[in-house]
Amino acid sequence: MSNPNITELTSVVLEVERHVADSGWDQPSQVYALAETADLLAREPALAPHIGDSPPGSLTPVEQEPLPVGRLDEVLAGIGWPPEVLGCVLVTELVVLPPSAEEEAPYSDHEIEYWAANHPERQDVRLAVGVTRSGLHASCLRVRGDDELVVDPDLADNLVDGLLATFQ
């Protein structure tokens, strides 16, 4: 089993985000297991026509069952991976508000979701975050209505921590 590098992980995170983007917005959160392509093809040779040629050490994302409904931190706490999974990618949509909005935010979780969803300064974003067992992480963000992707490994430290915890 090789150790993927950050460039390979970033490429896979971007690939998964583009795949999810093809289905448009208002998608539920989705998670993908990352397998070393050579190991995956050795276990599942029928996948070869779908994967094609790939360099040694490359990663292949494998879409998982839909995540259960609930708070994302609690959902992630219930995930565990078998040893052959080298990493994972989570794609989720979030509402982002400017820092000035914090002062007017309600306190209860139920109220804050409704309030944020209807705030006039809200921005909808799609965030894709990938991690490996070895601790590498990468992420990208797309704002609804903008085709540009922001690629930055430090966009979502809490999600990185939550995803890394799925390997413990």
Short mmCIF file of all heavy atoms in Angstrom, two decimals, residues 66-103:
data_model
loop_
_atom_site.label_atom_id
_atom_site.label_comp_id
_atom_site.label_asym_id
_atom_site.label_seq_id
_atom_site.Cartn_x
_atom_site.Cartn_y
_atom_site.Cartn_z
N PRO A 66 -25.82 6.93 0.98
CA PRO A 66 -26.12 8.28 1.48
C PRO A 66 -25.93 8.35 2.99
O PRO A 66 -26.21 7.39 3.71
CB PRO A 66 -27.58 8.48 1.10
CG PRO A 66 -27.82 7.53 -0.03
CD PRO A 66 -26.92 6.35 0.22
N LEU A 67 -25.47 9.50 3.43
CA LEU A 67 -25.30 9.71 4.87
C LEU A 67 -26.66 9.84 5.54
O LEU A 67 -27.59 10.39 4.94
CB LEU A 67 -24.48 10.98 5.13
CG LEU A 67 -23.02 10.91 4.71
CD1 LEU A 67 -22.37 12.29 4.89
CD2 LEU A 67 -22.27 9.87 5.52
N PRO A 68 -26.77 9.35 6.76
CA PRO A 68 -28.05 9.52 7.47
C PRO A 68 -28.30 11.00 7.77
O PRO A 68 -27.37 11.80 7.84
CB PRO A 68 -27.85 8.72 8.76
CG PRO A 68 -26.40 8.46 8.88
CD PRO A 68 -25.78 8.63 7.54
N VAL A 69 -29.55 11.33 7.94
CA VAL A 69 -29.92 12.70 8.28
C VAL A 69 -29.47 12.96 9.71
O VAL A 69 -29.56 12.09 10.58
CB VAL A 69 -31.45 12.89 8.14
CG1 VAL A 69 -31.87 14.27 8.61
CG2 VAL A 69 -31.87 12.64 6.70
N GLY A 70 -28.98 14.14 9.96
CA GLY A 70 -28.55 14.52 11.31
C GLY A 70 -27.42 15.52 11.24
O GLY A 70 -26.95 15.91 10.17
N ARG A 71 -27.01 15.96 12.41
CA ARG A 71 -25.88 16.89 12.49
C ARG A 71 -24.65 16.21 11.92
O ARG A 71 -24.35 15.06 12.26
CB ARG A 71 -25.64 17.32 13.93
CG ARG A 71 -26.69 18.26 14.46
CD ARG A 71 -26.40 18.67 15.87
NE ARG A 71 -24.97 18.82 16.09
CZ ARG A 71 -24.41 19.72 16.88
NH1 ARG A 71 -25.17 20.55 17.53
NH2 ARG A 71 -23.11 19.77 17.04
N LEU A 72 -23.92 16.92 11.08
CA LEU A 72 -22.80 16.33 10.37
C LEU A 72 -21.72 15.82 11.33
O LEU A 72 -21.18 14.73 11.12
CB LEU A 72 -22.21 17.34 9.39
CG LEU A 72 -21.28 16.81 8.33
CD1 LEU A 72 -21.86 15.62 7.58
CD2 LEU A 72 -20.89 17.92 7.36
N ASP A 73 -21.45 16.54 12.40
CA ASP A 73 -20.44 16.07 13.34
C ASP A 73 -20.85 14.75 13.99
O ASP A 73 -20.02 13.85 14.18
CB ASP A 73 -20.11 17.12 14.40
CG ASP A 73 -21.32 17.57 15.22
OD1 ASP A 73 -22.47 17.40 14.76
OD2 ASP A 73 -21.10 18.13 16.32
N GLU A 74 -22.14 14.60 14.28
CA GLU A 74 -22.63 13.35 14.88
C GLU A 74 -22.63 12.22 13.86
O GLU A 74 -22.32 11.07 14.19
CB GLU A 74 -24.03 13.56 15.46
CG GLU A 74 -24.04 14.50 16.65
CD GLU A 74 -25.44 14.89 17.09
OE1 GLU A 74 -26.43 14.45 16.47
OE2 GLU A 74 -25.53 15.67 18.06
N VAL A 75 -22.97 12.52 12.60
CA VAL A 75 -22.96 11.51 11.55
C VAL A 75 -21.53 11.00 11.33
O VAL A 75 -21.30 9.79 11.25
CB VAL A 75 -23.57 12.07 10.25
CG1 VAL A 75 -23.33 11.13 9.08
CG2 VAL A 75 -25.05 12.34 10.43
N LEU A 76 -20.58 11.92 11.25
CA LEU A 76 -19.18 11.52 11.05
C LEU A 76 -18.66 10.67 12.21
O LEU A 76 -17.88 9.75 12.00
CB LEU A 76 -18.28 12.75 10.86
CG LEU A 76 -18.49 13.54 9.58
CD1 LEU A 76 -17.56 14.76 9.54
CD2 LEU A 76 -18.30 12.67 8.36
N ALA A 77 -19.12 10.97 13.42
CA ALA A 77 -18.67 10.21 14.59
C ALA A 77 -19.09 8.74 14.50
O ALA A 77 -18.48 7.88 15.14
CB ALA A 77 -19.21 10.84 15.87
N GLY A 78 -20.09 8.44 13.69
CA GLY A 78 -20.56 7.06 13.55
C GLY A 78 -19.92 6.30 12.39
O GLY A 78 -20.28 5.15 12.14
N ILE A 79 -18.96 6.92 11.69
CA ILE A 79 -18.33 6.27 10.54
C ILE A 79 -17.01 5.65 10.95
O ILE A 79 -16.23 6.25 11.68
CB ILE A 79 -18.09 7.28 9.40
CG1 ILE A 79 -19.42 7.80 8.87
CG2 ILE A 79 -17.26 6.66 8.27
CD1 ILE A 79 -19.29 8.89 7.81
N GLY A 80 -16.75 4.44 10.46
CA GLY A 80 -15.46 3.78 10.63
C GLY A 80 -15.11 3.08 9.32
O GLY A 80 -16.00 2.62 8.60
N TRP A 81 -13.84 3.02 9.00
CA TRP A 81 -13.40 2.46 7.72
C TRP A 81 -12.58 1.21 7.90
O TRP A 81 -11.78 1.13 8.83
CB TRP A 81 -12.56 3.49 6.96
CG TRP A 81 -13.27 4.77 6.66
CD1 TRP A 81 -13.11 5.96 7.29
CD2 TRP A 81 -14.25 4.99 5.65
NE1 TRP A 81 -13.93 6.91 6.73
CE2 TRP A 81 -14.63 6.34 5.72
CE3 TRP A 81 -14.84 4.17 4.69
CZ2 TRP A 81 -15.58 6.89 4.87
CZ3 TRP A 81 -15.79 4.74 3.84
CH2 TRP A 81 -16.14 6.08 3.93
N PRO A 82 -12.70 0.24 6.98
CA PRO A 82 -11.84 -0.94 7.01
C PRO A 82 -10.41 -0.55 6.59
O PRO A 82 -10.21 0.51 5.99
CB PRO A 82 -12.49 -1.89 6.00
CG PRO A 82 -13.26 -1.02 5.08
CD PRO A 82 -13.69 0.18 5.89
N PRO A 83 -9.44 -1.39 6.87
CA PRO A 83 -8.03 -1.06 6.61
C PRO A 83 -7.70 -0.74 5.15
O PRO A 83 -6.80 0.04 4.88
CB PRO A 83 -7.26 -2.31 7.06
CG PRO A 83 -8.19 -3.04 7.94
CD PRO A 83 -9.58 -2.67 7.55
N GLU A 84 -8.43 -1.33 4.20
CA GLU A 84 -8.10 -1.09 2.79
C GLU A 84 -8.50 0.31 2.31
O GLU A 84 -8.11 0.73 1.23
CB GLU A 84 -8.70 -2.16 1.86
CG GLU A 84 -10.19 -2.27 1.90
CD GLU A 84 -10.70 -3.25 2.96
OE1 GLU A 84 -9.93 -3.71 3.82
OE2 GLU A 84 -11.90 -3.54 2.93
N VAL A 85 -9.27 1.04 3.10
CA VAL A 85 -9.65 2.41 2.75
C VAL A 85 -8.52 3.34 3.22
O VAL A 85 -8.21 3.40 4.40
CB VAL A 85 -11.00 2.80 3.37
CG1 VAL A 85 -11.31 4.28 3.13
CG2 VAL A 85 -12.11 1.92 2.82
N LEU A 86 -7.92 4.05 2.26
CA LEU A 86 -6.77 4.91 2.56
C LEU A 86 -7.17 6.32 2.97
O LEU A 86 -6.37 7.06 3.53
CB LEU A 86 -5.84 5.01 1.35
CG LEU A 86 -5.19 3.73 0.88
CD1 LEU A 86 -4.24 4.02 -0.27
CD2 LEU A 86 -4.46 3.04 2.02
N GLY A 87 -8.40 6.70 2.65
CA GLY A 87 -8.85 8.05 2.96
C GLY A 87 -10.31 8.19 2.62
O GLY A 87 -10.97 7.21 2.25
N CYS A 88 -10.81 9.41 2.71
CA CYS A 88 -12.20 9.66 2.34
C CYS A 88 -12.36 11.12 1.93
O CYS A 88 -11.53 11.97 2.26
CB CYS A 88 -13.16 9.30 3.47
SG CYS A 88 -12.99 10.28 4.96
N VAL A 89 -13.43 11.36 1.19
CA VAL A 89 -13.79 12.72 0.78
C VAL A 89 -15.25 12.94 1.16
O VAL A 89 -16.10 12.09 0.89
CB VAL A 89 -13.61 12.92 -0.75
CG1 VAL A 89 -14.09 14.31 -1.16
CG2 VAL A 89 -12.17 12.69 -1.17
N LEU A 90 -15.52 14.07 1.77
CA LEU A 90 -16.87 14.50 2.11
C LEU A 90 -17.20 15.71 1.26
O LEU A 90 -16.39 16.63 1.15
CB LEU A 90 -16.96 14.88 3.59
CG LEU A 90 -18.26 15.56 4.02
CD1 LEU A 90 -19.40 14.56 4.09
CD2 LEU A 90 -18.08 16.28 5.34
N VAL A 91 -18.39 15.71 0.67
CA VAL A 91 -18.89 16.88 -0.05
C VAL A 91 -20.18 17.29 0.63
O VAL A 91 -21.09 16.47 0.80
CB VAL A 91 -19.13 16.57 -1.54
CG1 VAL A 91 -19.61 17.82 -2.27
CG2 VAL A 91 -17.88 16.02 -2.20
N THR A 92 -20.24 18.56 1.02
CA THR A 92 -21.41 19.04 1.74
C THR A 92 -21.71 20.47 1.33
O THR A 92 -20.81 21.20 0.91
CB THR A 92 -21.21 18.93 3.27
OG1 THR A 92 -22.43 19.18 3.94
CG2 THR A 92 -20.14 19.89 3.78
N GLU A 93 -22.95 20.86 1.43
CA GLU A 93 -23.36 22.23 1.14
C GLU A 93 -23.63 22.94 2.45
O GLU A 93 -24.21 22.37 3.38
CB GLU A 93 -24.60 22.24 0.25
CG GLU A 93 -24.33 21.69 -1.12
CD GLU A 93 -25.55 21.69 -2.03
OE1 GLU A 93 -26.59 22.31 -1.67
OE2 GLU A 93 -25.47 21.07 -3.10
N LEU A 94 -23.19 24.19 2.51
CA LEU A 94 -23.31 24.99 3.73
C LEU A 94 -23.83 26.37 3.40
O LEU A 94 -23.70 26.84 2.27
CB LEU A 94 -21.93 25.15 4.39
CG LEU A 94 -21.16 23.88 4.74
CD1 LEU A 94 -19.73 24.22 5.10
CD2 LEU A 94 -21.85 23.16 5.88
N VAL A 95 -24.38 27.02 4.39
CA VAL A 95 -24.76 28.42 4.29
C VAL A 95 -23.68 29.21 5.03
O VAL A 95 -23.37 28.90 6.19
CB VAL A 95 -26.14 28.68 4.92
CG1 VAL A 95 -26.44 30.17 4.98
CG2 VAL A 95 -27.22 27.95 4.15
N VAL A 96 -23.12 30.20 4.35
CA VAL A 96 -22.08 31.04 4.95
C VAL A 96 -22.64 32.44 5.10
O VAL A 96 -23.27 32.98 4.18
CB VAL A 96 -20.81 31.06 4.06
CG1 VAL A 96 -19.75 31.97 4.64
CG2 VAL A 96 -20.27 29.65 3.89
N LEU A 97 -22.40 33.02 6.28
CA LEU A 97 -22.85 34.38 6.56
C LEU A 97 -21.66 35.25 6.89
O LEU A 97 -20.63 34.76 7.37
CB LEU A 97 -23.81 34.38 7.76
CG LEU A 97 -25.12 33.61 7.57
CD1 LEU A 97 -25.87 33.52 8.88
CD2 LEU A 97 -25.97 34.28 6.52
N PRO A 98 -21.77 36.57 6.68
CA PRO A 98 -20.66 37.45 7.04
C PRO A 98 -20.50 37.50 8.56
O PRO A 98 -21.46 37.26 9.30
CB PRO A 98 -21.08 38.81 6.48
CG PRO A 98 -22.57 38.74 6.39
CD PRO A 98 -22.90 37.30 6.12
N PRO A 99 -19.29 37.80 9.04
CA PRO A 99 -19.06 37.85 10.50
C PRO A 99 -20.01 38.80 11.22
O PRO A 99 -20.38 38.55 12.36
CB PRO A 99 -17.61 38.33 10.62
CG PRO A 99 -16.98 37.96 9.32
CD PRO A 99 -18.06 38.04 8.28
N SER A 100 -20.43 39.87 10.56
CA SER A 100 -21.33 40.83 11.20
C SER A 100 -22.67 40.21 11.58
O SER A 100 -23.36 40.69 12.48
CB SER A 100 -21.56 42.03 10.28
OG SER A 100 -22.14 41.59 9.06
N ALA A 101 -23.06 39.13 10.94
CA ALA A 101 -24.35 38.49 11.22
C ALA A 101 -24.36 37.75 12.55
O ALA A 101 -25.43 37.47 13.09
CB ALA A 101 -24.71 37.53 10.10
N GLU A 102 -23.19 37.43 13.09
CA GLU A 102 -23.12 36.67 14.36
C GLU A 102 -23.85 37.38 15.49
O GLU A 102 -24.44 36.73 16.35
CB GLU A 102 -21.66 36.43 14.76
CG GLU A 102 -20.98 35.36 13.96
CD GLU A 102 -19.57 35.09 14.45
OE1 GLU A 102 -19.32 35.19 15.67
OE2 GLU A 102 -18.73 34.80 13.60
N GLU A 103 -23.79 38.70 15.51
CA GLU A 103 -24.40 39.47 16.61
C GLU A 103 -25.91 39.27 16.69
O GLU A 103 -26.48 39.34 17.76
CB GLU A 103 -24.08 40.96 16.42
CG GLU A 103 -22.62 41.26 16.49
CD GLU A 103 -22.29 42.66 15.99
OE1 GLU A 103 -23.22 43.43 15.68
OE2 GLU A 103 -21.10 42.97 15.92
#
